[in-house]
Amino acid sequence: METGFLPRAGLQALLDALHQSGYRCIGPRVRDEAIVYDTLGKATDLPQGARDRQTPGRYRLETTSSLRNFSWANGPQALKPLLFAPHEAMWRATRDAQGKLCFSEILPAPEMLAVIGARACDLAALRLQDRHFLEGAFADPCYAARRKNLFLVAVHCTHPAETCFCASTGDGPRATQGFDIALSELDDGFLVEAGSDAGRAVVARLPLAVATPSQKQSADSEVGEAARQQTRSLPARNLRAALFANLEHPRWEEIAGRCLSCGNCTSVCPTCFCHSEADTAALDGSDSLHARQWDSCFTQGHSYIHGMTIRADTRARYRQWLTHKLGSWHDQYGRSGCVGCGRCITWCPAGIDITEEISVIVNAEFGVRNAE
Ligand code: SF4
Ligand code: SF4
């Protein structure tokens, strides 16, 4: 299917087509002075002229005179909370009249969800979450139920934040996989390309013109410029050996002096999947609800086993996070667990910067991009 051009006023037609196909549309909206995913009723709900300024430990939203809806990098949420719920009941145990225990599974209500504005880094993170939740020995039924009817409209990123480094991880700023439709935003509208049969069916209902060579060239050049603008990077894509050779590096202790063990980095990280599970039982023993909630390798309880906490201090917890994320993920999933979204840098209250710390620990030059 050739690339089409959708004038800006035609964006409502995309939402209408998705609504008519039965989807609830979720997209970027401004709430609490940040870009968050929320329900979109109409195209005018999208932010216009919003621009995010992100530095270590700081996020600010500004409004410019631009008519563009996607001229920002990302907000604190990725796609993760839409599929891997922060808190959810999984099963219930009840006692019948004879006192026998009966177990029943609790699944999320089926819903067709269309997400508008997914970034390339978040699609890469979704691919990793799919591998974790769906492609192991047992598929997670709650994740699978939400993933089944998800429709993804990607928007190639043209305004990376100062904290972004997706170009060095190979995950952005252009979305290359995992979308149903991909949009390139220009001043007067959008280039539209379909990435799946479901996407082609929706695109066929849009009032598209044929995209001109000059529009395609502008779109390519903006995404290329977005990659060039990124100043942060990882020293290499596979840091496993370098990290495990530096388990006693003095920098771990130095980071522990700044890290608050708050877990913000793991909450905002689109690939982190750790969780804990707990039962809430009725006092009379008739009923018990089993729920899971996001956990973090930065909490004391996360490594508690049989009377002892294995990672008792912040040094051990930060080291666990980084050696897993950038090292042993390669053993589990064949790639690093970092897609370069930069959220852990922005939303860390201490401004700890993963790209800087890893460069010190593996003795690499900070900020030099390695295209391994
Ligand atoms: S480790 Fe940080 S930069 Fe990498 S994916 Fe997670 S939040 Fe994004
Ligand atoms: S690195 Fe930052 S965000 Fe993560 S636990 Fe430490 S202080 Fe919190």
Side-chain angles (χ1 to χ4, degrees):
M1 181 179 273
E2 64 185 357
T3 304
F5 175 72
L6 184 71
R8 185 165 296 282
L11 198 52
Q12 184 61 45
L14 173 60
L15 264 68
D16 291 343
L18 289 166
H19 285 143
Q20 284 155 14
S21 301
Y23 290 101
R24 178 165 73 93
C25 291
I26 292 262
R29 301 194 66 172
V30 175
R31 194 175 71 215
D32 298 333
E33 298 176 50
I35 299 274
V36 295
Y37 280 126
D38 207 343
T39 300
L40 287 177
K42 47 196 184 318
T44 50
D45 290 339
L46 290 163
Q48 196 164 57
R51 182 78 45 89
D52 50 356
R53 305 281 174 206
Q54 302 189 43
T55 52
R58 193 169 191 277
Y59 177 100
R60 291 290 180 277
L61 214 50
E62 298 170 358
T63 305
T64 69
S65 57
S66 166
L67 296 178
R68 293 195 182 204
N69 302 115
F70 300 94
S71 55
W72 40 270
N74 57 34
Q77 296 164 302
L79 300 170
K80 180 169 84 169
L82 302 175
L83 296 154
F84 170 36
H87 183 278
E88 68 183 329
M90 305 194 79
W91 46 267
R92 179 182 292 281
T94 48
R95 255 182 224 289
D96 65 15
Q98 287 71 45
K100 195 172 132 207
L101 275 179
C102 307
F103 295 88
S104 51
E105 189 179 30
I106 301 171
L107 288 174
E111 183 181 32
M112 293 176 69
L113 203 63
V115 180
I116 321 277
R119 295 303 194 194
C121 56
D122 292 335
L123 293 175
L126 180 68
R127 175 75 198 111
L128 279 167
Q129 295 253 304
D130 284 352
R131 288 192 68 176
H132 177 73
F133 285 106
L134 301 179
E135 296 171 17
F138 302 98
D140 182 274
C142 296
Y143 185 96
R146 296 192 179 94
R147 183 71 175 93
K148 192 171 164 211
N149 294 317
L150 189 68
F151 187 99
L152 292 161
V153 179
V155 180
H156 304 304
C157 186
T158 52
H159 289 77
E162 212 182 288
T163 42
C164 292
F165 54 100
C166 64
S168 76
T169 65
D171 297 305
R174 175 182 295 283
T176 56
Q177 55 83 38
F179 57 81
D180 295 292
I181 294 177
L183 304 178
S184 302
E185 186 173 34
L186 301 171
D187 281 340
D188 52 351
F190 300 87
L191 298 191
V192 181
E193 51 187 308
S196 70
D197 288 343
R200 274 181 275 283
V202 171
V203 168
R205 294 159 63 188
L206 300 180
L208 297 182
V210 175
T212 65
S214 115
Q215 285 172 323
K216 290 184 193 170
Q217 196 179 12
S218 296
D220 285 348
S221 130
E222 288 200 28
V223 176
E225 186 52 33
R228 282 188 290 279
Q229 278 171 15
Q230 294 181 20
T231 53
R232 283 179 164 74
S233 64
L234 289 181
R237 288 189 194 163
N238 190 342
L239 291 156
R240 190 190 186 290
L243 267 168
F244 284 98
N246 281 289
L247 291 179
E248 300 307 324
H249 197 288
R251 187 71 169 196
W252 300 116
E253 193 64 50
E254 196 275 332
I255 299 167
R258 290 178 280 136
C259 173
L260 308 171
S261 262
C262 66
N264 265 19
C265 47
T266 55
S267 290
V268 296
C269 179
T271 68
C272 278
F273 47 68
C274 286
H275 62 270
S276 58
E277 300 190 15
D279 294 283
T280 308
L283 284 176
D284 64 1
S286 62
D287 176 272
S288 175
L289 191 67
H290 187 89
R292 76 171 166 197
Q293 62 184 14
W294 289 4
D295 199 357
S296 167
C297 48
F298 283 91
T299 67
Q300 188 158 18
H302 190 69
S303 64
Y304 176 86
I305 298 176
H306 299 303
M308 65 178 288
T309 298
I310 294 170
R311 291 184 286 276
D313 58 23
T314 300
R315 172 184 177 274
R317 291 181 207 154
Y318 189 88
R319 189 177 70 175
Q320 161 65 23
W321 184 60
L322 213 65
T323 51
H324 185 212
K325 181 73 61 185
L326 302 180
S328 48
W329 270 68
H330 287 274
D331 303 329
Q332 283 179 285
Y333 305 107
R335 60 154 293 169
S336 115
C338 179
V339 296
C341 72
R343 288 185 177 91
C344 58
I345 304 172
T346 299
W347 298 96
C348 171
I352 294 172
D353 179 343
I354 185 173
T355 63
E356 182 176 358
E357 303 309 339
I358 190 65
S359 298
V360 172
I361 289 162
V362 304
N363 304 310
E365 193 181 339
F366 176 45
V368 174
R369 187 173 299 160
N370 180 331
E372 180 194 325

